[in-house]
Amino acid sequence: ENLKHMQLFPGFQNSAFLGILCKIATKASSKTVISDALWAIHYILDKGENYIPILFQDLDAHDLIHNKLAHKEMGVRLPALRIIGNLALGPDKYIDYLLAEGICEKLLENLKKVRNLTFQKEVLWVLSNLAAGTDYHRETLLEKRIGEELQEIISKGEYKLRKDSAIVLNNIATEGNTDASLRLAFSCGLECCSHLMSTKDPEILDLTLETLECFLKAGEFHMD
């Protein structure tokens, strides 16, 4: 817990501390110990993405994605998700590795099945990070039919998740190329925007209007 607030000592990047935490998170049998180790890793990564390469020397990404993120205890799932969110803000090669491990499928699966508002908001935060990445990252999200999942949330899900969903849509539309914008528009993107326009939240409306503008510009580009 102290790692959340303290400054890391000089030379910390060269220490074995992260590796030890990774081993504890992977091998410990106590869910409390696993949770504490995962939170500690997350707090360290919050200090800067320069810790990500060190983490990957010892991190079992497969275990993190397929076991910890699927753990029956939310106390383990949530810090695992936070770590994945940290990694999704890091260098592209590490994000590519997560994608190869099937992170998109697992995130969308969790978004649909785990009925916990805090957890769902965190999943959408990670998805928004991926959507703000490279064209390859956005293409992967679209291949996994992210538009349909977002439409389900926006039209039928918890109202408090609408803004987070709007950010994901907006990142794909504004950060991507025209092909990605059109693909999103025709795979439920327009329907999502239609639902979002019914809100009175000015931030959601601004995001939605910007997304629609990108759809229109992409359509004009391809007509030319």
Side-chain angles (χ1 to χ4, degrees):
E1 178 65 23
N2 288 336
L3 285 168
K4 183 177 182 179
H5 307 289
M6 69 184 288
Q7 294 295 318
L8 300 181
F9 58 82
F12 183 89
Q13 294 180 51
N14 300 319
S15 76
F17 192 53
L18 266 173
I20 294 170
L21 288 172
C22 287
K23 289 177 182 177
I24 292 173
T26 302
K27 299 182 181 300
S29 57
S30 165
K31 64 177 183 282
T32 302
V33 173
I34 294 171
S35 177
D36 288 345
L38 291 173
W39 279 117
I41 293 170
H42 163 62
Y43 293 145
I44 292 169
L45 293 180
D46 262 356
K47 306 295 184 183
E49 66 177 45
N50 52 314
Y51 294 104
I52 292 176
I54 308 162
L55 178 69
F56 260 86
Q57 294 174 16
D58 299 285
L59 177 70
D60 186 342
H62 182 87
D63 175 68
L64 181 70
I65 293 170
H66 295 280
N67 296 326
K68 299 301 185 287
L69 193 59
H71 201 279
K72 64 181 181 180
E73 296 290 340
M74 187 57 64
V76 173
R77 274 188 167 186
L78 187 55
L81 181 60
R82 285 283 187 92
I83 292 171
I84 292 168
N86 290 128
L87 299 177
L89 289 169
D92 292 337
K93 66 177 182 178
Y94 299 111
I95 301 174
D96 293 346
Y97 184 80
L98 294 178
L99 294 175
E101 280 287 346
I103 188 57
C104 284
E105 295 93 328
K106 290 300 177 183
L107 288 172
L108 294 174
E109 179 183 316
N110 275 274
L111 189 61
K112 179 183 291 187
K113 294 183 178 180
V114 181
R115 298 303 179 184
N116 179 293
L117 182 61
T118 299
F119 189 80
Q120 287 178 303
K121 287 177 75 67
E122 292 286 347
V123 170
L124 288 167
W125 169 66
V126 178
L127 290 171
S128 72
N129 291 344
L130 294 174
T134 66
D135 286 336
Y136 169 64
H137 302 158
R138 284 181 285 275
E139 182 66 25
T140 304
L141 289 173
L142 291 169
E143 285 179 359
K144 304 306 176 185
R145 307 174 75 88
I146 189 174
E148 294 181 9
E149 298 299 334
L150 293 176
Q151 183 188 25
E152 181 74 14
I153 291 173
I154 290 169
S155 61
K156 300 178 182 179
E158 171 64 51
Y159 183 82
K160 292 180 180 179
L161 296 174
R162 284 195 169 194
K163 180 179 177 180
D164 305 273
S165 301
I167 293 172
V168 179
L169 285 171
N170 183 265
N171 282 351
I172 295 175
T174 59
E175 300 290 341
N177 54 39
T178 55
D179 288 337
S181 290
L182 277 184
R183 188 171 174 183
L184 177 63
F186 291 120
S187 67
C188 307
L190 290 171
E191 289 89 344
C192 288
C193 288
S194 175
H195 285 292
L196 290 170
M197 287 299 292
S198 65
T199 184
K200 296 180 180 180
D201 187 315
E203 291 187 50
I204 294 177
L205 290 174
D206 285 345
L207 287 165
T208 305
L209 289 171
E210 187 178 28
T211 300
L212 286 170
E213 184 179 9
C214 287
F215 290 163
L216 290 171
K217 287 181 178 178
E220 291 173 356
F221 177 84
H222 283 272
M223 285 180 63
D224 294 339

